[in-house]
Structure formats: structure tokens, C-alpha cells
Amino acid sequence: MSDVVLIALYAFCGAAATGLAGAGVLRLIRRRSLTASLTVVAAVAVGAMLAGTLAVAQAMFLSAHDLSVVTTVVAMAAVVSLATALLLGRWVVARSRELALAARSFGEGGSFAAPDGPTTAELNELSRELAATSARLAESRERERALEASRRELVAWISHDLRTPLAGLRAMAEALEDGVAADPDRYLRQIRTEVERLNDMVGDLFELSRIHAGTLALTRSRISLYDLVSDALAGAGPLAREHGVRLVGDHVEPVPVEVDGKEMNRVLGNLLINAIRRTPADGTVAVAAERAPDGVVLSVTDGCGGIAMEDLPRVFDTGWRGSDARTPPAGAGLGLAIVRGIVEAHQGRAAVRNVAGGCRFEVVLPVAEA
């Protein structure tokens, strides 16, 4: 047993010396190609075996013939090992370069396509991750383009909507200043109306900016949907009477929710105003609230005649106002965008779909915990 231990000790010392040398070489070439590292690893493996054999041979005083035989065998193994390491290294490096070229394409605005041919499991996994990243990047670019287009439309519409009342205010102010206004009181009432309209528009822009910036602070409290809907119907009543529209809120369950009452009143108010303005005279706007498996569904159904299918995905986009035939003179297309922002801040979601004779806007909110 002592001879075996001694042989193992001599072999370990010789192999360890080779391994330390190999580790030093690997550290020096750590920034080089993978081919060089694989070659060093193969050389270390064969060298460690040779060093251990030589150490044992010297200790055991093997004959020169036996030593030459062992050395020749190890040398042939070294040649085969180094050749295999070089081939493997060049193959892996080639596949890595192909993968790098493919990855460069989606970084420049294209899409990623994994190179053909077999690869290692690690490179194959990397290809899948790059493909997934490319898909997410394409979606992000598409959202950015849509957001930029929406931003341009919003700026154009806001500029137009601001220019019109400002021009009217200037004309009325000049008429009052020059004393040529036939009915000054009517001019003053009109000025007040236009100023309130501008104030509402600025308020909507401020609210939307807080939503987009993520700074919308919510003060939640436990509220019954029945009370929430009642307050909203009372606030929208005068506008409905002015347009000759009936407001109906018969199907409202008294389900409790944890929401910011002020912000949710704004949501319902925007939906009701939007519905009333787009419903013809003698039409009906119905509000309903009921418990559903995924929360509480609060809905507003109007008689607008429906929305074109291609426009449905854009209804809640900033600045969207639909076709000119359905767009009233007032409004900058911010109301529904504000609705979606406030609802999502409550961990809910907003949706719209066409129904017979009109469309139905739905707000889904989580149920208050018992």
C-alpha cells in the first residue's frame, strides 16, 4: 500500500505542477479566442499525464526503453487531443461569430434570425434568448412609433382646439374694448364659457401628464358602487337634459370597492359625457354595475351607432377622437385616455365593444376585501 501511495504522490506532484502552469497560461490568454483556451486545456491534460508518468518513472527507475514507450504513447495522445481541441474551438468560434452577426442585425433595427446549423446547447439557449429579446424590442419600437404618432396628433389637435377659442376671445375682447359689442353681457357670458372650456382642457392635460409620469396619487376609501353611480348620474343630468338624452341606472348592485372617489367620479363623468354627446336626441345612456368572477364590472352603454372595428383598439389612445362625423367641436381626445390611466392606477382595466345600436364601455375593478 505504501508503494501505491508513493506513486500517487509523485504523479500528483507532477500533474499539479503542470496544472499550475496551465492555469497561469489561461490567465494570460483569458482575453483571447476560445480556440486558444481549449488548446491550453487539452495540452494541460496531456502534459499533466506526461509529467505524472515521468515523475513516477524517475522514482521507480524504469528502464529507458519503457520510458520511451510511455513517452511516445503520451505524445500521440497529445497530438490527437490538441487536434480535437483546435477543431472544437474553431467550430464554436465560427458559430459564435455567426450568432454575433445575427444579433447585430436586430440591434440596427431589424429582427433576429438564428443562424442555421447545429450549435452547442449554450449557444442554442442564447439564440432563443436573443430571439425573445428581438421580439420584445420590435414590440417596443412599435409602441414607440404609435406613441410618437399619437403625440403628434395630440399636439396638432390641442393647437387647433386652443387656437379656435383664443381667436374668439381676442375678437370679443377687441369688440368690448372698442365699444362695438351690440350685447356686452352676451359677449361676457361667451368669454366665460370659452375660459371654462380652456380651463377644462388644461386640467385634462395636467391629469394626463400625472398619469403618464406615474405620479397620480390615489386616496383610497371603501365606497359603494351605488353611491358612486348616483353621484355621477346627478352630475351628468343637466348635460343629458340639454341633449335630450335619457340617463338610466337601474341595474347597479351595491358592491363595495376600494377606490379614490374623486378620481373614479372623473372616470364615470368622462364616460357619461362621452356617451351623452354621441347619443342622438331621445336616445338612452345606461349605467350598470355588477359583480363578475374577475372583479366588479362598471359599464356605460350609449346609442352612438357603434365604432368602426379598425378604430376599437385606438379608442383609449391619447388624442383619439374618431371620425369627423362623430367628433363634437369640443374636446381634445383626452377623456378616454384619462379613464384608462385612472382605472389602471386602480389595478383595473378599461375596454370597449360594440353592442346593438351603440357601444359599451366597461371598467373592471377589484372587489374590496371583506
Side-chain angles (χ1 to χ4, degrees):
M1 183 62 66
S2 60
D3 291 340
V4 174
V5 174
L6 188 61
I7 291 172
L9 182 60
Y10 277 112
F12 175 77
C13 291
T18 306
L20 290 174
V25 174
L26 286 175
R27 180 175 178 79
L28 292 175
I29 64 170
R30 62 184 181 276
R31 300 183 184 276
R32 299 290 183 88
S33 172
L34 179 63
T35 304
S37 298
L38 287 174
T39 302
V40 172
V41 171
V44 167
V46 177
M49 183 174 63
L50 179 60
T53 302
L54 291 176
V56 172
Q58 292 296 329
M60 301 301 294
F61 302 103
L62 294 180
S63 65
H65 177 268
D66 292 341
L67 185 59
S68 64
V69 170
V70 173
T71 305
T72 302
V73 172
V74 173
M76 294 301 102
V79 172
V80 174
S81 300
L82 292 175
T84 303
L86 287 171
L87 289 175
L88 176 61
R90 295 189 63 177
W91 179 74
V92 173
V93 168
R95 292 295 179 268
S96 299
R97 287 175 179 170
E98 292 175 359
L99 193 60
L101 290 175
R104 189 178 303 164
S105 64
F106 82 80
E108 295 172 351
S111 58
F112 175 78
D116 297 330
T119 59
T120 64
E122 291 78 11
L123 291 179
N124 194 32
E125 179 65 23
L126 180 58
S127 296
R128 287 196 295 268
E129 289 297 328
L130 288 174
T133 301
S134 176
R136 290 193 295 268
L137 188 59
E139 293 175 0
S140 177
R141 288 195 186 103
E142 187 61 31
R143 286 195 302 269
E144 185 179 354
R145 282 193 290 267
L147 184 60
E148 184 61 26
S150 175
R151 199 176 283 124
R152 289 197 188 100
E153 291 177 355
L154 176 62
V155 170
W157 287 335
I158 287 292
S159 300
H160 176 270
D161 289 343
L162 287 176
R163 189 181 297 114
T164 301
L166 287 175
L169 287 172
R170 176 183 292 177
M172 287 184 286
E174 290 175 352
L176 290 172
E177 185 179 12
D178 296 339
V180 297
D183 188 354
D185 291 338
R186 184 175 67 85
Y187 274 52
L188 291 174
R189 288 194 298 271
Q190 186 63 28
I191 287 174
R192 180 180 179 84
T193 300
E194 295 296 335
V195 169
E196 289 177 352
R197 177 184 167 194
L198 290 174
N199 182 69
D200 291 341
M201 192 180 302
V202 171
D204 286 345
L205 284 172
F206 179 69
E207 182 81 356
L208 196 62
S209 68
R210 289 199 303 163
I211 291 172
H212 286 171
T215 59
L216 181 63
L218 299 177
T219 305
R220 298 174 184 266
S221 60
R222 192 180 182 90
I223 302 175
S224 171
L225 277 182
Y226 188 85
D227 296 335
L228 198 64
V229 172
S230 298
D231 293 343
L233 290 175
L239 182 64
R241 288 191 292 272
E242 179 183 343
H243 286 75
V245 174
R246 292 185 298 275
L247 288 180
V248 178
D250 297 335
H251 302 286
V252 179
E253 297 181 10
V255 182
V257 288
E258 291 279 349
V259 296
D260 186 313
K262 178 182 176 182
E263 297 297 340
M264 287 308 301
N265 272 325
R266 183 162 195 162
V267 167
L268 272 176
N270 286 356
L271 291 177
L272 286 172
I273 291 172
N274 183 71
I276 292 169
R277 286 176 174 171
R278 286 166 170 76
T279 299
D282 295 329
T284 300
V285 172
V287 183
E290 57 186 356
R291 189 186 296 268
D294 55 347
V296 177
V297 179
L298 183 62
S299 64
V300 176
T301 306
D302 60 32
C304 67
I307 300 173
M309 294 302 297
E310 61 270 17
D311 287 338
L312 279 176
R314 297 192 57 207
V315 167
F316 292 99
D317 288 352
T318 302
W320 185 86
R321 297 192 292 186
S323 63
D324 293 337
R326 298 177 65 252
T327 302
L334 305 181
L336 293 180
I338 291 174
V339 166
R340 180 174 63 179
I342 294 175
V343 170
E344 290 180 351
H346 284 84
Q347 287 78 50
R349 67 179 188 276
V352 60
R353 58 186 173 90
N354 287 326
V355 295
C359 54
R360 175 185 171 98
F361 288 85
E362 294 182 346
V363 170
V364 181
L365 297 171
V367 183
E369 296 182 0

